[in-house]
Amino acid sequence: MIGGEKLSDNITEEYWSRFPDTYDKKMEYVVGKELRDAIIQELNRLPELGELVELGCGTGIFTETIVLKTKSMVATDLSDSLLAVARTRIGDHPKVTIQKENCMATSFPSEALDSVFIANLIHVVESPSTLLQECYRILRKNGTLVIVTFTDHGMKLWEKIKMGLRFVKSWGKPPAHTHSFSPEDLASMMKDAGFVIKTSKVIGDNTKALYIIGQKDEDA
Ligand SMILES: C[S@@+](CC[C@H](N)C(=O)[O-])C[C@H]1O[C@@H](n2cnc3c(N)ncnc32)[C@H](O)[C@@H]1O
């Protein structure tokens, strides 16, 4: 149990905790290895990110890449079973702490971090704007928010249908809250939360992800 837990958090936790051992394979089946590799390529180009928190790290698919850009990091998720897989994957890494956190209301103090990283999280939370406000709260002035998130924006209709079928085949019912952002929608929400947009692009061919970097406004 973590502070402020409510019924919808339990439902979310249960949903994502169902397949810890096959989570990575299912994700690869749904969105494809090419998209995952393209995301990793983008992350490899990031500059130094200082002290970073990853929210919704899942099994740590991207944790092992982003850590290379940090001074130290805390990888967090709501799901105990996915965190257990992340622990096995990351091992006893000197730069990484793994802990349970609800991304909508974390235990981190305000203005505590240089960077926040969220991969494939904002499109599955009930309130994306609350998540962005929490990222903003915990970042230092000029801090960096790196967002990667799957989207069907810009996908061909047939590719969308095929991806939907792959999802249902491997995960069953979609999670309670799913959003598909355009780059403009997400950038606008980030600006409303107090971020200046530094980078915005769509990655991928048949399946796609948005890659957006925001900086906490220095006048905030
Ligand atoms: C689509 S998965 C993405 C996982 C990982 N970042 C990746 O890209 O493979 C969504 C993740 O968000 C986590 N999650 C959903 N709601 C959350 C919340 N309120 N707080 C923390 N984690 C949450 C789930 O447990 C799951 O691990």
Side-chain angles (χ1 to χ4, degrees):
M1 286 279 280
I2 49 178
E5 203 163 319
K6 52 185 205 296
L7 182 62
S8 58
D9 295 332
N10 293 334
I11 293 169
T12 299
E13 185 177 352
E14 266 173 40
Y15 183 89
W16 290 107
S17 296
R18 291 173 301 157
F19 308 112
D21 299 334
T22 49
Y23 176 94
D24 292 7
K25 278 211 162 68
K26 285 181 190 294
M27 272 304 168
E28 190 172 310
Y29 172 65
V30 174
V31 296
K33 185 174 181 311
E34 294 73 21
L35 184 56
R36 194 183 80 174
D37 291 348
I39 293 170
I40 288 173
Q41 264 183 27
E42 289 295 342
L43 300 181
N44 277 326
R45 288 192 201 109
L46 281 164
E48 167 65 37
L49 293 168
E51 293 174 345
L52 176 141
V53 159
E54 180 178 5
L55 304 175
C57 69
T59 60
I61 291 178
F62 299 114
T63 310
E64 54 188 357
T65 303
I66 201 91
V67 67
L68 302 173
K69 302 292 174 179
T70 71
K71 188 172 156 208
S72 62
M73 74 173 285
V74 187
T76 71
D77 201 280
L78 195 59
S79 160
D80 288 311
S81 65
L82 295 185
L83 285 173
V85 178
R87 271 193 195 94
T88 305
R89 167 179 254 136
I90 306 299
D92 208 5
H93 196 295
K95 285 209 263 180
V96 185
T97 305
I98 295 180
Q99 71 190 41
K100 185 167 183 170
E101 291 283 347
N102 184 343
C103 65
M104 310 305 266
T106 69
S107 66
F108 300 105
S110 298
E111 303 198 5
L113 297 151
D114 299 312
S115 309
V116 174
F117 173 54
I118 54 176
N120 304 313
L121 174 67
I122 196 162
H123 73 280
V124 298
V125 295
E126 183 173 359
S127 171
S129 57
T130 306
L131 170 59
L132 290 173
Q133 283 157 22
E134 181 62 1
C135 294
Y136 186 90
R137 183 187 71 76
I138 63 181
L139 277 171
R140 297 186 177 122
K141 283 185 184 174
N142 292 321
T144 303
L145 172 62
V146 179
I147 301 183
V148 180
T149 204
F150 298 138
T151 183
D152 64 12
H153 178 82
M155 279 174 62
K156 295 194 180 86
L157 179 62
W158 177 232
E159 294 296 343
K160 283 188 205 181
I161 293 169
K162 284 196 295 185
M163 187 175 72
L165 291 173
R166 290 196 299 272
F167 189 96
V168 172
K169 195 171 159 195
S170 52
W171 291 87
K173 231 171 72 167
H177 314 283
T178 42
H179 316 269
S180 178
F181 297 109
S182 68
E184 295 77 20
D185 291 340
L186 189 50
S188 159
M189 287 180 70
M190 289 171 71
K191 283 183 202 155
D192 288 348
F195 291 96
V196 177
I197 306 303
K198 295 291 178 183
T199 299
S200 170
K201 53 170 101 165
V202 181
I203 309 173
D205 296 322
N206 291 336
T207 55
K208 297 191 184 288
L210 303 184
Y211 179 68
I212 304 202
I213 301 176
Q215 187 175 43
K216 181 167 174 169
D217 195 340
E218 71 178 307
D219 299 324

